[in-house]
Amino acid sequence: MKNLFIQRLLVSTLLIVLGSIQIILDTSVGLNFGYIIFFSGGIVLLYSTIA
């Protein structure tokens, strides 16, 4: 089985950065999908460090 730590780390960092940018730039009222992207990046980061 391949070690996917680096790939998961890069993907999670990318998701966190994209989510942060979307949170900052989105000025709409209502559900902001930047938070969902940000937290999914955090979950992937948490999973990659534990596994």
Side-chain angles (χ1 to χ4, degrees):
M1 192 165 164
K2 293 171 60 175
N3 188 5
L4 300 174
F5 177 72
I6 301 296
Q7 288 88 353
R8 288 181 187 152
L9 185 69
L10 290 174
V11 168
S12 64
T13 306
L14 178 70
L15 286 174
I16 290 172
V17 168
L18 287 176
S20 300
I21 291 171
Q22 191 169 359
I23 288 169
I24 292 169
L25 294 179
D26 192 14
T27 58
S28 66
V29 177
L31 180 63
N32 188 352
F33 288 104
Y35 291 111
I36 297 171
I37 295 171
F38 184 81
F39 287 125
S40 64
I43 290 170
V44 171
L45 180 64
L46 205 72
Y47 178 74
S48 66
T49 55
I50 291 173

